[in-house]
Amino acid sequence: MTTVFSFYFLILGLLFGSFFNVVGLRVPKREFLKRKRSYCPKCLHSLSWFDLIPLISYLFLGARCRYCEQKIPLLYPLMECASGISFMCSYILIGFRPELALALLLMSLLHIIVVSDLSYMIIPDKVLVFFFILIMIYRVLAPSGTWWTAILGALVGLMGTAVIIMVSRGGMGGGDMKLLGLIGFALGIKLLLVSFFLAVVMGAIVCVVLLRTGLISRHQPFPFGPFIAAGTMTSFFSGAQIIEWYITRFFL
Ligand SMILES: [Zn+2]
């Protein structure tokens, strides 16, 4: 039965992933609710259901728009895959427990953020507020720990990042600050700190590699959202083990 449900969550993740791509691409351009059908950004031709099957359309169309031959960015199918896999892993690791809802909310939020941040270097407030409300509802329905752990997590996320923004003068932006506040609200201080630490380490490694290979220049702005997303996912699923490992390694 588990295999059937795993497959079901994989498909669900692929379908939602395709929708999250649209949300992440349209919300920053303020056209999420304006135009109903999906369309090619170059020739503006409306896309049929055939063009919109996650992954399959991309492969079938040879990574190009059927009407104008414009290349479809690899980011879209990659994010669809990531969404499918993260939904499936959430189910396999958590099962049908209340935390599964939190996991799916987090995966959805992070997916949209990554698409927006990579495409426009924007983490849209509307998306953050929407998920803040949903996570708050989750916290009320499935309370864990004390009520102030969430508030404290949010404050540490917001204020910690504010200090870093002031010190680093542009290393991170206001969007990163609000996102980390929301992650602190969802996960509490401990997992927030693990998420942040992992994000900085991964961000630093990728930044050094990109600088060395000349793919970015020294003062080029650099989206940090994807690293926050990767750090948060790792921390959500194995943060407790990471903390335990760290304590036994350095303090015992
Ligand atoms: Zn086109």
Side-chain angles (χ1 to χ4, degrees):
M1 209 53 188
T2 314
T3 326
V4 177
F5 278 118
S6 304
F7 182 70
Y8 173 70
F9 273 94
L10 175 71
I11 301 298
L12 194 72
L14 282 171
L15 291 171
F16 268 98
S18 176
F19 171 68
F20 297 150
N21 281 347
V22 175
V23 177
L25 287 168
R26 286 190 183 189
V27 168
K29 286 165 77 185
R30 297 172 193 277
E31 57 178 26
F32 180 53
L33 296 170
K34 280 192 195 139
R35 213 180 145 134
K36 286 214 169 67
R37 284 196 74 90
S38 290
Y39 62 96
C40 164
K42 193 184 172 207
C43 67
L44 304 179
H45 198 295
S46 285
L47 302 177
S48 70
W49 66 270
F50 178 79
D51 303 303
L52 296 168
I53 312 167
L55 279 185
I56 296 176
S57 296
Y58 181 84
L59 297 172
F60 227 87
L61 297 172
R64 281 180 190 281
C65 167
R66 195 143 58 95
Y67 311 98
C68 71
E69 300 272 294
Q70 167 79 354
K71 249 179 122 50
I72 303 168
L74 184 61
L75 176 70
Y76 306 165
L78 279 184
M79 290 305 292
E80 286 168 359
C81 269
S83 177
I85 293 169
S86 68
F87 270 47
M88 186 177 70
C89 288
S90 301
Y91 166 70
I92 293 173
L93 293 170
I94 298 171
F96 285 115
R97 285 190 289 137
E99 295 89 88
L100 180 61
L102 181 62
L104 298 181
L105 281 177
L106 266 182
M107 299 307 133
S108 310
L109 161 72
L110 297 173
H111 181 143
I112 298 171
I113 293 307
V114 168
V115 172
S116 289
D117 207 14
L118 282 178
S119 306
Y120 313 110
M121 296 267 299
I122 288 174
I123 294 179
D125 283 344
K126 277 184 193 148
V127 173
L128 294 174
V129 170
F130 180 76
F131 279 93
F132 172 66
I133 294 168
L134 290 181
I135 291 171
M136 199 152 61
I137 294 171
Y138 167 82
R139 282 254 163 264
V140 172
L141 294 177
S144 64
T146 46
W147 61 270
W148 49 265
T149 40
I151 311 281
L152 212 58
L155 285 177
V156 170
L158 284 171
M159 282 150 66
T161 326
V163 171
I164 294 170
I165 292 175
M166 279 190 277
V167 174
S168 70
R169 289 183 198 173
M172 281 204 252
D176 299 319
M177 179 176 86
K178 287 174 252 174
L179 176 60
L180 283 162
L182 181 54
I183 289 167
F185 182 75
L187 301 183
I189 294 182
K190 275 193 216 157
L191 292 185
L192 166 74
L193 293 179
V194 176
S195 310
F196 182 72
F197 174 74
L198 292 173
V200 169
V201 171
M202 286 187 265
I205 293 171
V206 172
C207 197
V208 168
V209 171
L210 292 178
L211 280 172
R212 285 279 166 89
T213 48
L215 284 168
I216 57 166
S217 60
R218 192 154 268 284
H219 295 290
Q220 197 171 333
F222 187 67
F224 192 54
F227 300 103
I228 298 178
T232 304
M233 281 171 84
T234 318
S235 157
F236 182 76
F237 288 117
S238 41
Q241 286 95 310
I242 295 173
I243 294 170
E244 195 187 307
W245 172 83
Y246 183 78
I247 290 174
T248 43
R249 178 95 166 66
F250 294 103
F251 295 101
L252 293 179

